[in-house]
Amino acid sequence: KRLAWKILRRGVDKMTLIQAILLGIIQGVTEFLPVSSSGHLVLFQKIFGVAEPSLTFGIVVHLGTLAAVFAVFWKDIVSILRKPFQRLTLLLIAGTIPTGIIGVVFKDFFENIFASGKTLGFEFFITGLILFFADNLNRGYKKVEETSMLDAAFVGLMQGAAIMPAISRSGLTISGALFRDMDRDFAARFSFLLSIPAILGAAVFDMKDVLEAGVENLDSVSLGAGFIRSEE
């Protein structure tokens, strides 16, 4: 046990392959649960003593999970590509705009929070509290046609707030959809479809940090391992 712990703690200067695999598994397991995958990544990176910026590695493993989202919702994605101006597309755009604005305006603020990890306990508590209230709501009725652009924008605002490391993105977006009387099945579907532009946008916006991390703190093998394990 001591030897295993020493191996995990070797990430003070550089993330090891074992750490990358473990963090990828953590991302893959927690992404589809309303428990904040980013928060758990930050938490375990602190436990492992990994000095690599949490936000950067988080983007990489989120891309791995994004591949799983594509695999599960490929029918919806194909439908959007074939009919790009359908109502679902407009709802996704309306939900993405608030998230994008929040991410760009408060990028430095969120990165500092990711780096410190001091607010994790409070954010986990807030996530649980919001889930509790959302779960006790009456069942909603709104599906694609009944959902308004304002409803979608509200869910996008919730997703923007979930950039905080231990605030669950899926938890807040699904809860936000339920607060707007959206059908539970459609709320979950809309939540994960909304994650696609958010993750892709964050990856593009943070590409400079990702490349720097690959050169200085994280070798390509570790990056690949984290990516692959996060989508399983």
Side-chain angles (χ1 to χ4, degrees), residues 68-145:
V69 175
F70 274 105
V72 174
F73 296 97
W74 67 271
K75 290 184 179 179
D76 289 295
I77 296 169
V78 170
S79 174
I80 290 172
L81 293 176
R82 288 179 176 176
K83 297 180 180 180
F85 299 106
Q86 62 178 282
R87 184 168 183 80
L88 178 58
T89 306
L90 298 178
L91 291 175
L92 291 173
I93 293 174
T96 298
I97 291 174
T99 302
I101 293 174
I102 293 173
V104 171
V105 173
F106 297 101
K107 180 176 184 293
D108 292 338
F109 171 74
F110 287 127
E111 286 187 343
N112 290 333
I113 291 179
F114 266 85
S116 69
K118 294 180 179 179
T119 60
L120 291 180
F122 174 74
E123 291 161 20
F124 280 127
F125 173 76
I126 292 297
T127 295
L129 195 63
I130 292 174
L131 290 174
F132 173 79
F133 284 115
D135 189 53
N136 285 279
L137 293 173
N138 293 326
R139 296 187 68 87
Y141 65 93
K142 295 180 181 178
K143 295 189 178 181
V144 176
E145 296 303 323

Coordinates of all heavy atoms in Angstrom, one line a residue, residues 68-145:
A68 N -18.1 9.4 -25.9 CA -19.2 8.5 -25.4 C -20.6 9.1 -25.6 O -21.6 8.5 -25.9 CB -19.0 8.2 -23.9
V69 N -20.7 10.5 -25.4 CA -21.9 11.2 -25.6 C -22.3 11.0 -27.1 O -23.5 10.8 -27.4 CB -21.8 12.7 -25.3 CG1 -23.1 13.4 -25.6 CG2 -21.5 12.8 -23.8
F70 N -21.3 11.2 -28.0 CA -21.6 11.0 -29.4 C -22.2 9.6 -29.7 O -23.1 9.4 -30.5 CB -20.4 11.2 -30.3 CG -20.1 12.7 -30.6 CD1 -19.2 13.4 -30.0 CD2 -20.9 13.3 -31.6 CE1 -19.0 14.7 -30.3 CE2 -20.7 14.6 -31.9 CZ -19.7 15.4 -31.3
A71 N -21.6 8.6 -29.0 CA -22.0 7.2 -29.3 C -23.4 7.0 -28.8 O -24.2 6.2 -29.4 CB -21.0 6.3 -28.5
V72 N -23.8 7.6 -27.7 CA -25.1 7.4 -27.1 C -26.2 8.2 -27.8 O -27.3 7.7 -28.1 CB -25.2 7.7 -25.6 CG1 -26.6 7.6 -25.0 CG2 -24.2 6.8 -24.8
F73 N -25.9 9.4 -28.2 CA -26.9 10.3 -28.8 C -26.6 10.5 -30.3 O -27.0 11.6 -30.8 CB -26.9 11.6 -28.1 CG -27.3 11.5 -26.6 CD1 -26.4 11.5 -25.6 CD2 -28.7 11.5 -26.3 CE1 -26.8 11.4 -24.3 CE2 -29.1 11.4 -25.0 CZ -28.1 11.3 -24.0
W74 N -26.1 9.5 -31.0 CA -25.7 9.7 -32.4 C -26.9 9.9 -33.3 O -26.8 10.7 -34.3 CB -24.9 8.5 -32.9 CG -25.7 7.2 -32.9 CD1 -25.8 6.3 -31.9 CD2 -26.4 6.7 -34.1 NE1 -26.6 5.2 -32.4 CE2 -27.0 5.5 -33.6 CE3 -26.7 7.2 -35.4 CZ2 -27.8 4.7 -34.5 CZ3 -27.5 6.4 -36.2 CH2 -28.0 5.2 -35.8
K75 N -28.1 9.4 -32.9 CA -29.3 9.6 -33.7 C -29.7 11.1 -33.7 O -30.1 11.6 -34.7 CB -30.4 8.7 -33.2 CG -30.2 7.2 -33.5 CD -31.4 6.4 -33.1 CE -31.2 4.9 -33.4 NZ -32.4 4.1 -32.9
D76 N -29.6 11.7 -32.5 CA -30.0 13.1 -32.4 C -29.0 13.9 -33.1 O -29.4 14.9 -33.8 CB -30.0 13.5 -30.9 CG -31.2 12.9 -30.1 OD1 -32.3 13.2 -30.4 OD2 -30.9 12.1 -29.2
I77 N -27.7 13.6 -33.0 CA -26.7 14.3 -33.7 C -26.8 14.3 -35.2 O -26.7 15.3 -35.9 CB -25.3 13.9 -33.3 CG1 -25.1 14.1 -31.8 CG2 -24.2 14.6 -34.1 CD1 -23.9 13.4 -31.2
V78 N -27.1 13.1 -35.7 CA -27.3 12.9 -37.2 C -28.6 13.7 -37.6 O -28.6 14.3 -38.7 CB -27.5 11.4 -37.5 CG1 -28.0 11.2 -39.0 CG2 -26.2 10.7 -37.3
S79 N -29.6 13.7 -36.8 CA -30.8 14.4 -37.1 C -30.6 15.9 -37.2 O -31.1 16.6 -38.1 CB -31.9 14.1 -36.1 OG -33.0 14.9 -36.3
I80 N -29.7 16.4 -36.3 CA -29.4 17.8 -36.3 C -28.6 18.2 -37.5 O -28.8 19.2 -38.1 CB -28.6 18.2 -35.0 CG1 -29.6 18.1 -33.8 CG2 -28.0 19.6 -35.1 CD1 -28.9 18.3 -32.5
L81 N -27.6 17.3 -37.9 CA -26.8 17.6 -39.0 C -27.6 17.6 -40.3 O -27.4 18.3 -41.3 CB -25.7 16.5 -39.1 CG -24.6 16.6 -38.0 CD1 -23.6 15.5 -38.1 CD2 -23.9 18.0 -38.0
R82 N -28.6 16.7 -40.4 CA -29.5 16.6 -41.6 C -30.4 17.7 -41.7 O -30.7 18.2 -42.7 CB -30.2 15.3 -41.6 CG -29.3 14.0 -41.9 CD -30.2 12.8 -41.8 NE -29.4 11.6 -42.2 CZ -29.8 10.3 -42.2 NH1 -31.0 10.1 -41.8 NH2 -29.0 9.3 -42.5
K83 N -31.0 18.2 -40.5 CA -31.9 19.3 -40.5 C -31.4 20.3 -39.4 O -31.9 20.4 -38.3 CB -33.3 18.8 -40.1 CG -33.9 17.8 -41.1 CD -35.3 17.4 -40.6 CE -35.9 16.4 -41.6 NZ -37.2 15.9 -41.1
P84 N -30.4 21.1 -39.8 CA -29.7 22.0 -38.9 C -30.6 23.1 -38.3 O -30.2 23.7 -37.3 CB -28.6 22.5 -39.7 CG -29.0 22.4 -41.1 CD -29.8 21.2 -41.2
F85 N -31.7 23.4 -39.0 CA -32.6 24.5 -38.5 C -33.8 24.1 -37.8 O -34.8 24.8 -37.7 CB -32.9 25.4 -39.7 CG -31.7 26.0 -40.4 CD1 -31.3 25.5 -41.7 CD2 -31.0 27.0 -39.8 CE1 -30.2 26.0 -42.3 CE2 -29.9 27.5 -40.5 CZ -29.5 27.0 -41.7
Q86 N -33.8 22.9 -37.3 CA -35.0 22.4 -36.6 C -35.0 23.0 -35.2 O -34.0 23.7 -34.7 CB -34.9 20.9 -36.4 CG -33.7 20.3 -35.7 CD -33.7 18.8 -35.5 OE1 -34.4 18.3 -34.7 NE2 -32.9 18.1 -36.4
R87 N -36.1 22.9 -34.5 CA -36.3 23.5 -33.2 C -35.3 23.1 -32.1 O -34.8 23.9 -31.3 CB -37.7 23.3 -32.7 CG -38.0 24.0 -31.4 CD -39.5 24.0 -31.0 NE -39.7 24.8 -29.8 CZ -39.8 26.1 -29.8 NH1 -39.7 26.8 -30.9 NH2 -40.1 26.8 -28.7
L88 N -34.9 21.8 -32.1 CA -33.9 21.4 -31.1 C -32.6 22.1 -31.3 O -32.0 22.4 -30.3 CB -33.7 19.8 -31.3 CG -32.7 19.2 -30.4 CD1 -33.0 19.5 -28.9 CD2 -32.6 17.7 -30.6
T89 N -32.2 22.3 -32.6 CA -31.0 23.1 -32.8 C -31.0 24.5 -32.2 O -30.1 24.9 -31.6 CB -30.7 23.1 -34.3 OG1 -30.7 21.8 -34.9 CG2 -29.4 23.8 -34.6
L90 N -32.2 25.1 -32.5 CA -32.3 26.5 -31.9 C -32.3 26.5 -30.4 O -31.8 27.4 -29.8 CB -33.7 27.1 -32.5 CG -33.8 27.2 -34.0 CD1 -35.2 27.8 -34.4 CD2 -32.7 28.2 -34.5
L91 N -32.9 25.5 -29.8 CA -32.9 25.4 -28.3 C -31.4 25.2 -27.8 O -31.1 25.8 -26.8 CB -33.8 24.3 -27.9 CG -35.3 24.4 -28.1 CD1 -36.0 23.1 -27.7 CD2 -35.8 25.6 -27.3
L92 N -30.7 24.4 -28.5 CA -29.3 24.2 -28.1 C -28.5 25.5 -28.3 O -27.6 25.8 -27.5 CB -28.7 23.1 -29.0 CG -29.2 21.6 -28.7 CD1 -28.7 20.6 -29.7 CD2 -28.9 21.2 -27.3
I93 N -28.7 26.2 -29.3 CA -28.0 27.5 -29.5 C -28.4 28.5 -28.4 O -27.5 29.1 -27.8 CB -28.4 28.1 -30.9 CG1 -27.8 27.2 -32.0 CG2 -27.8 29.5 -31.0 CD1 -28.2 27.7 -33.4
A94 N -29.7 28.5 -28.1 CA -30.1 29.4 -27.0 C -29.5 29.0 -25.7 O -29.2 29.9 -24.8 CB -31.7 29.4 -26.9
G95 N -29.3 27.7 -25.5 CA -28.7 27.3 -24.2 C -27.2 27.5 -24.2 O -26.6 27.6 -23.1
T96 N -26.6 27.4 -25.4 CA -25.1 27.5 -25.4 C -24.6 29.0 -25.3 O -23.5 29.2 -24.7 CB -24.6 27.0 -26.8 OG1 -25.0 25.6 -26.9 CG2 -23.1 27.2 -26.9
I97 N -25.4 30.0 -25.7 CA -24.9 31.4 -25.7 C -24.7 31.8 -24.2 O -23.6 32.4 -24.0 CB -26.0 32.3 -26.3 CG1 -26.0 32.0 -27.9 CG2 -25.7 33.7 -26.1 CD1 -27.1 32.8 -28.6
P98 N -25.6 31.6 -23.3 CA -25.2 32.0 -21.9 C -24.0 31.3 -21.3 O -23.2 32.0 -20.6 CB -26.5 31.7 -21.1 CG -27.6 31.6 -22.1 CD -26.9 31.0 -23.3
T99 N -23.9 30.0 -21.6 CA -22.7 29.3 -21.2 C -21.4 29.9 -21.7 O -20.4 30.1 -21.0 CB -22.8 27.8 -21.6 OG1 -24.0 27.3 -21.0 CG2 -21.6 27.0 -21.0
G100 N -21.4 30.2 -23.0 CA -20.2 30.7 -23.7 C -19.9 32.1 -23.1 O -18.7 32.4 -22.8
I101 N -20.8 32.9 -22.9 CA -20.6 34.3 -22.3 C -19.9 34.2 -20.9 O -18.9 34.8 -20.6 CB -21.8 35.1 -22.3 CG1 -22.3 35.4 -23.7 CG2 -21.6 36.4 -21.5 CD1 -23.7 36.1 -23.7
I102 N -20.5 33.3 -20.1 CA -20.0 33.1 -18.7 C -18.6 32.6 -18.8 O -17.7 33.0 -18.0 CB -20.9 32.2 -17.9 CG1 -22.3 32.8 -17.7 CG2 -20.3 31.8 -16.6 CD1 -23.3 31.9 -17.0
G103 N -18.4 31.6 -19.6 CA -17.0 30.9 -19.7 C -16.0 31.9 -20.2 O -14.8 31.9 -19.6
V104 N -16.3 32.8 -21.1 CA -15.3 33.7 -21.6 C -15.0 34.9 -20.6 O -13.9 35.2 -20.3 CB -15.8 34.4 -23.0 CG1 -14.9 35.5 -23.4 CG2 -15.8 33.3 -24.0
V105 N -16.1 35.4 -20.1 CA -16.0 36.6 -19.1 C -15.3 36.2 -17.8 O -14.4 36.9 -17.3 CB -17.3 37.2 -18.8 CG1 -17.2 38.3 -17.8 CG2 -18.0 37.8 -20.1
F106 N -15.6 35.0 -17.3 CA -15.1 34.6 -16.0 C -14.0 33.5 -16.1 O -13.8 32.8 -15.1 CB -16.2 34.1 -15.1 CG -17.2 35.2 -14.8 CD1 -18.4 35.2 -15.5 CD2 -17.0 36.1 -13.9 CE1 -19.4 36.2 -15.3 CE2 -17.9 37.1 -13.6 CZ -19.1 37.1 -14.3
K107 N -13.3 33.4 -17.2 CA -12.3 32.3 -17.4 C -11.2 32.3 -16.4 O -10.9 31.3 -15.8 CB -11.7 32.4 -18.8 CG -10.6 31.4 -19.1 CD -10.1 31.5 -20.5 CE -9.1 30.4 -20.9 NZ -7.9 30.5 -20.1
D108 N -10.6 33.5 -16.1 CA -9.6 33.6 -15.2 C -10.1 33.2 -13.8 O -9.4 32.6 -13.0 CB -8.9 35.0 -15.2 CG -8.2 35.2 -16.5 OD1 -7.8 34.3 -17.1 OD2 -8.0 36.4 -16.8
F109 N -11.2 33.7 -13.4 CA -11.8 33.4 -12.1 C -12.0 31.9 -11.9 O -11.6 31.4 -10.9 CB -13.2 34.1 -12.0 CG -14.0 33.8 -10.8 CD1 -13.6 34.2 -9.5 CD2 -15.1 33.0 -10.9 CE1 -14.3 33.9 -8.4 CE2 -15.8 32.6 -9.8 CZ -15.5 33.1 -8.5
F110 N -12.6 31.2 -12.9 CA -12.8 29.8 -12.8 C -11.5 29.0 -12.7 O -11.3 28.0 -12.0 CB -13.6 29.3 -14.0 CG -15.1 29.7 -13.9 CD1 -15.7 30.3 -14.9 CD2 -15.8 29.4 -12.7 CE1 -17.0 30.7 -14.9 CE2 -17.2 29.8 -12.7 CZ -17.8 30.4 -13.7
E111 N -10.5 29.5 -13.5 CA -9.2 28.8 -13.5 C -8.5 28.9 -12.1 O -7.9 27.9 -11.6 CB -8.3 29.3 -14.6 CG -8.6 28.9 -16.0 CD -7.6 29.4 -17.0 OE1 -6.8 30.3 -16.7 OE2 -7.6 28.8 -18.1
N112 N -8.7 30.0 -11.5 CA -8.1 30.2 -10.1 C -8.8 29.3 -9.1 O -8.2 28.7 -8.2 CB -8.2 31.6 -9.7 CG -7.3 32.6 -10.4 OD1 -6.3 32.2 -10.9 ND2 -7.7 33.8 -10.5
I113 N -10.1 29.1 -9.3 CA -10.8 28.2 -8.4 C -10.4 26.8 -8.6 O -10.2 26.0 -7.7 CB -12.4 28.4 -8.6 CG1 -12.8 29.8 -8.1 CG2 -13.1 27.3 -7.9 CD1 -14.3 30.0 -8.3
F114 N -10.3 26.4 -9.9 CA -9.8 25.0 -10.2 C -8.4 24.8 -9.6 O -8.2 23.7 -9.1 CB -9.7 24.9 -11.7 CG -10.9 24.3 -12.4 CD1 -12.0 25.1 -12.7 CD2 -11.0 22.9 -12.6 CE1 -13.1 24.5 -13.3 CE2 -12.2 22.4 -13.2 CZ -13.2 23.2 -13.5
A115 N -7.5 25.8 -9.7 CA -6.2 25.6 -9.2 C -6.1 25.5 -7.7 O -5.3 24.7 -7.1 CB -5.3 26.8 -9.6
S116 N -7.0 26.2 -7.0 CA -6.9 26.2 -5.5 C -7.7 25.0 -4.9 O -7.2 24.3 -4.0 CB -7.5 27.5 -4.9 OG -8.9 27.5 -5.1
G117 N -8.8 24.7 -5.4 CA -9.6 23.5 -4.9 C -10.2 23.8 -3.5 O -10.7 22.9 -2.9
K118 N -10.2 25.1 -3.1 CA -10.6 25.4 -1.7 C -12.1 25.4 -1.5 O -12.6 25.3 -0.4 CB -10.0 26.7 -1.3 CG -8.5 26.8 -1.2 CD -8.0 28.1 -0.8 CE -6.5 28.2 -0.7 NZ -5.9 29.5 -0.3
T119 N -12.8 25.5 -2.6 CA -14.3 25.6 -2.5 C -15.0 24.3 -2.8 O -16.2 24.3 -2.9 CB -14.8 26.7 -3.4 OG1 -14.5 26.4 -4.8 CG2 -14.2 28.1 -3.1
L120 N -14.3 23.2 -2.9 CA -14.9 21.9 -3.3 C -16.0 21.5 -2.4 O -17.1 21.1 -2.9 CB -13.8 20.8 -3.4 CG -12.8 21.0 -4.5 CD1 -11.8 19.8 -4.5 CD2 -13.5 21.0 -5.9
G121 N -15.8 21.5 -1.1 CA -16.8 21.1 -0.2 C -18.1 21.9 -0.3 O -19.2 21.3 -0.3
F122 N -18.0 23.2 -0.4 CA -19.1 24.0 -0.5 C -19.9 23.7 -1.8 O -21.1 23.7 -1.8 CB -18.7 25.5 -0.4 CG -19.8 26.5 -0.7 CD1 -20.8 26.7 0.3 CD2 -19.9 27.1 -1.9 CE1 -21.8 27.6 0.0 CE2 -21.0 28.0 -2.2 CZ -21.9 28.3 -1.2
E123 N -19.1 23.5 -2.9 CA -19.8 23.3 -4.2 C -20.5 21.9 -4.2 O -21.5 21.8 -4.8 CB -18.7 23.4 -5.3 CG -18.2 24.9 -5.5 CD -16.9 24.9 -6.2 OE1 -16.6 23.9 -6.9 OE2 -16.2 25.9 -6.1
F124 N -19.9 20.9 -3.7 CA -20.5 19.6 -3.6 C -21.8 19.7 -2.8 O -22.9 19.1 -3.2 CB -19.6 18.6 -2.9 CG -18.6 18.0 -3.8 CD1 -17.2 18.0 -3.4 CD2 -18.9 17.4 -5.0 CE1 -16.3 17.5 -4.2 CE2 -17.9 16.9 -5.8 CZ -16.6 16.9 -5.4
F125 N -21.8 20.5 -1.7 CA -23.0 20.7 -0.9 C -24.1 21.4 -1.7 O -25.3 21.0 -1.7 CB -22.7 21.6 0.3 CG -23.9 21.9 1.1 CD1 -24.5 21.0 1.9 CD2 -24.4 23.2 1.1 CE1 -25.7 21.4 2.7 CE2 -25.5 23.6 1.8 CZ -26.1 22.7 2.6
I126 N -23.7 22.5 -2.5 CA -24.7 23.2 -3.3 C -25.3 22.3 -4.4 O -26.5 22.3 -4.6 CB -24.0 24.4 -4.0 CG1 -23.7 25.5 -2.9 CG2 -24.9 25.0 -5.0 CD1 -24.8 26.1 -2.2
T127 N -24.5 21.5 -5.0 CA -25.0 20.5 -6.0 C -26.0 19.6 -5.4 O -27.1 19.4 -6.0 CB -23.8 19.7 -6.6 OG1 -22.9 20.5 -7.3 CG2 -24.3 18.6 -7.5
G128 N -25.7 19.0 -4.2 CA -26.6 18.1 -3.6 C -27.9 18.8 -3.2 O -29.0 18.3 -3.3
L129 N -27.9 20.1 -2.8 CA -29.0 20.8 -2.4 C -29.9 21.1 -3.6 O -31.2 20.9 -3.5 CB -28.6 22.2 -1.7 CG -29.7 22.9 -0.9 CD1 -30.1 22.1 0.3 CD2 -29.1 24.3 -0.5
I130 N -29.4 21.5 -4.7 CA -30.1 21.8 -5.9 C -30.8 20.5 -6.4 O -32.0 20.5 -6.8 CB -29.2 22.4 -7.0 CG1 -28.8 23.8 -6.6 CG2 -30.0 22.4 -8.3 CD1 -27.8 24.4 -7.5
L131 N -30.1 19.4 -6.4 CA -30.6 18.1 -6.8 C -31.8 17.7 -5.9 O -32.8 17.1 -6.4 CB -29.5 17.0 -6.8 CG -28.4 17.1 -7.8 CD1 -27.4 16.1 -7.6 CD2 -29.0 16.9 -9.2
F132 N -31.7 17.9 -4.6 CA -32.7 17.6 -3.7 C -34.0 18.3 -4.0 O -35.1 17.7 -4.1 CB -32.3 17.9 -2.2 CG -33.4 17.7 -1.2 CD1 -33.7 16.5 -0.8 CD2 -34.1 18.8 -0.8 CE1 -34.7 16.3 0.2 CE2 -35.1 18.7 0.2 CZ -35.4 17.4 0.6
F133 N -33.9 19.6 -4.2 CA -35.1 20.4 -4.6 C -35.7 20.0 -5.9 O -36.9 19.9 -6.1 CB -34.8 21.9 -4.6 CG -34.7 22.5 -3.2 CD1 -33.5 23.0 -2.7 CD2 -35.8 22.5 -2.3 CE1 -33.3 23.5 -1.5 CE2 -35.7 23.1 -1.1 CZ -34.5 23.6 -0.6
A134 N -34.8 19.8 -6.9 CA -35.3 19.4 -8.3 C -36.0 18.0 -8.2 O -37.0 17.8 -8.9 CB -34.1 19.4 -9.2
D135 N -35.5 17.1 -7.4 CA -36.0 15.8 -7.4 C -37.4 15.7 -6.8 O -38.2 14.8 -7.0 CB -35.1 14.8 -6.6 CG -35.5 13.4 -6.8 OD1 -35.7 12.9 -7.9 OD2 -35.7 12.7 -5.7
N136 N -37.7 16.8 -6.0 CA -39.0 16.8 -5.3 C -40.1 17.6 -6.1 O -41.2 17.9 -5.6 CB -38.9 17.4 -3.9 CG -38.2 16.3 -3.0 OD1 -38.9 15.5 -2.4 ND2 -36.9 16.4 -2.8
L137 N -39.7 18.1 -7.3 CA -40.7 18.8 -8.1 C -41.7 17.9 -8.7 O -41.4 16.7 -8.9 CB -39.9 19.6 -9.2 CG -39.0 20.7 -8.8 CD1 -38.2 21.2 -10.0 CD2 -39.8 21.9 -8.1
N138 N -42.8 18.4 -9.1 CA -43.8 17.7 -9.9 C -43.2 17.4 -11.2 O -42.4 18.2 -11.8 CB -45.1 18.4 -10.0 CG -45.8 18.6 -8.6 OD1 -45.8 17.7 -7.8 ND2 -46.5 19.7 -8.4
R139 N -43.6 16.3 -11.9 CA -43.1 16.0 -13.2 C -43.5 17.0 -14.2 O -44.7 17.4 -14.3 CB -43.6 14.6 -13.6 CG -43.2 13.4 -12.7 CD -43.6 12.1 -13.3 NE -42.8 11.8 -14.5 CZ -41.7 11.2 -14.6 NH1 -41.0 10.9 -13.5 NH2 -41.1 11.0 -15.7
G140 N -42.5 17.4 -15.0 CA -42.8 18.4 -16.0 C -43.4 17.8 -17.3 O -43.5 16.6 -17.4
Y141 N -43.8 18.6 -18.2 CA -44.5 18.2 -19.4 C -43.9 18.6 -20.7 O -44.2 18.1 -21.7 CB -45.9 18.7 -19.4 CG -46.1 20.2 -19.4 CD1 -46.2 20.8 -20.7 CD2 -46.0 21.0 -18.3 CE1 -46.3 22.2 -20.8 CE2 -46.0 22.3 -18.4 CZ -46.2 23.0 -19.6 OH -46.3 24.3 -19.7
K142 N -43.0 19.6 -20.6 CA -42.4 20.2 -21.8 C -41.4 19.3 -22.5 O -40.5 18.8 -21.9 CB -41.7 21.5 -21.5 CG -42.7 22.6 -21.0 CD -41.9 23.9 -20.7 CE -42.8 25.0 -20.2 NZ -42.0 26.2 -19.8
K143 N -41.7 19.1 -23.8 CA -40.7 18.4 -24.7 C -40.2 19.4 -25.7 O -40.2 20.6 -25.4 CB -41.3 17.2 -25.3 CG -41.7 16.1 -24.3 CD -42.2 14.8 -24.9 CE -42.5 13.8 -23.8 NZ -42.9 12.5 -24.4
V144 N -39.7 19.0 -26.8 CA -39.0 19.9 -27.7 C -40.0 21.1 -28.1 O -39.6 22.3 -28.0 CB -38.6 19.2 -29.0 CG1 -38.0 20.2 -30.0 CG2 -37.5 18.2 -28.6
E145 N -41.2 20.8 -28.6 CA -42.1 21.8 -29.1 C -42.6 22.8 -28.0 O -42.8 23.9 -28.3 CB -43.3 21.1 -29.8 CG -42.9 20.3 -31.0 CD -42.1 21.2 -32.1 OE1 -42.5 22.4 -32.2 OE2 -41.2 20.7 -32.7

